[in-house]
Structure formats: C-alpha cells, structure tokens
Amino acid sequence: MKIAIGADHAGYRLKDVIVPMLKQLGHEVLDVGCDCADSVDYPDYAIPVCDMVVNGEAERGILICGTGIGMSIAANKTPGIRCALVHDLFSAKATREHNDTNVLAMGERVVGPGLAEEIVKVWLDTPFSQGERHLNRIRKVMGLEDKQALHP
Ligand code: RB5
C-alpha cells in the first residue's frame, strides 16, 4: 500500500519508528517530514499528507504530533478526508470498520512506540465493513462538504 506520513517536531520520533516498520511490512512510504526537533506547525505536514490521499498519490495517511489532536483537526478540514485520532486497538479496528477512515492520527506524547506500531498494523489491515448503516452515516458526514461548498 502507498502510505503518506507526516509529523511535527513533537511527533517525528514516533514517525521514525513507524516509517521503518511500514517499509518492513512492504508498504511504499511517502514521508513529508519533519525530521528534527525544531518547532514547526502541524498543519504544514497534515495538509500535504491529506492532499496526497485525496488526489490518489497515497491510499492512506498517517499523522503524528504531540497529542494527535492538532493533526486530526487539520486533516478533517480537507474535503475527502476522514481522520481518526486513535490511541487504542479497539478504536483502530472500529474506525476502519465503521468510519472507513483514510487518515490515522496519533500523539507521540500519549502513546508508546510499541502500542503505536500495533495500532498502525490493525488500522491498515482492517477493511471497511461495507455495512449499509455505516455507509449511510458516512454519506451524511461527507454531504456536509457539499453543503459548505454551496454556502461557504
Ligand atoms: C506542539 O507543542 C503540540 O502543540 C502539537 O504537537 C500538537 O500536540 C497539537 O495538537
């Protein structure tokens, strides 16, 4: 799978754990940075990752900041993105089955590297359930984007 990944200065260390794991699992990784502790702005990394997912360059995106919150807020502003902030395995599975999320956000200051690796694996491996009730709810959420485009 082609996976875009980005982090800010509070998340790049966890990114440096996740990127080699993804490559070892056979995924193609598009890493937009950042790569050091110099202070940066999380939207500058969330936006390119989400753009890659929306335009088809990447199938999924992974975003990491200190809490994962800023990244998830920024990601969910991009039309076509459904981003989940996940710090447990139950949610990693459920958000794929129920929400068909295409971007995963995590917080390096919240979750340890071992659990983060397992979260990523479960999130990547779990298919969307295709359940009609879930599709209907996703359609309602994504319909908000059309509404906002008509009445900005
Ligand atoms: C950076 O200090 C921190 O605010 C950022 O990584 C993130 O947690 C924001 O939501």
Side-chain angles (χ1 to χ4, degrees):
M1 197 184 285
K2 271 193 186 177
I3 300 167
I5 188 165
D8 73 357
H9 56 285
Y12 81 96
R13 292 173 203 82
L14 181 55
K15 177 169 71 64
D16 285 349
V17 171
I18 300 300
V19 167
M21 183 201 74
L22 291 172
K23 288 181 179 167
Q24 204 179 0
L25 290 170
H27 297 292
E28 188 177 332
V29 180
L30 305 164
D31 185 349
V32 305
C34 72
D35 297 302
C36 74
D38 295 346
S39 184
V40 294
D41 299 332
Y42 55 80
D44 295 338
Y45 298 87
I47 293 165
V49 165
C50 291
D51 285 348
M52 283 181 198
V53 173
V54 168
N55 71 26
E57 266 178 85
E59 288 160 73
R60 303 272 191 91
I62 298 174
L63 294 168
I64 306 167
C65 62
T67 60
I69 295 171
M71 285 293 198
S72 60
I73 292 171
N76 280 312
K77 296 284 182 191
T78 300
I81 293 298
R82 289 180 301 283
C83 173
L85 172 58
V86 173
H87 292 127
D88 67 275
L89 294 172
F90 176 83
S91 302
K93 184 165 181 277
T95 194
R96 286 290 309 133
E97 288 176 340
H98 292 206
N99 315 118
D100 195 17
T101 43
N102 47 15
V103 174
L104 171 72
M106 295 185 294
E108 181 189 296
R109 294 171 179 165
V110 181
V111 71
L115 179 54
E117 286 186 328
E118 294 308 307
I119 287 169
V120 169
K121 283 186 208 164
V122 167
W123 184 75
L124 289 173
D125 287 349
T126 304
F128 176 52
S129 68
Q130 301 290 342
E132 193 52 46
R133 68 188 189 285
H134 298 308
L135 279 166
N136 192 41
R137 291 162 190 162
I138 290 169
R139 270 189 225 111
K140 286 187 182 183
V141 172
M142 301 319 275
L144 292 169
E145 292 173 359
D146 302 331
K147 200 170 145 191
Q148 280 159 8
L150 288 171
H151 306 287

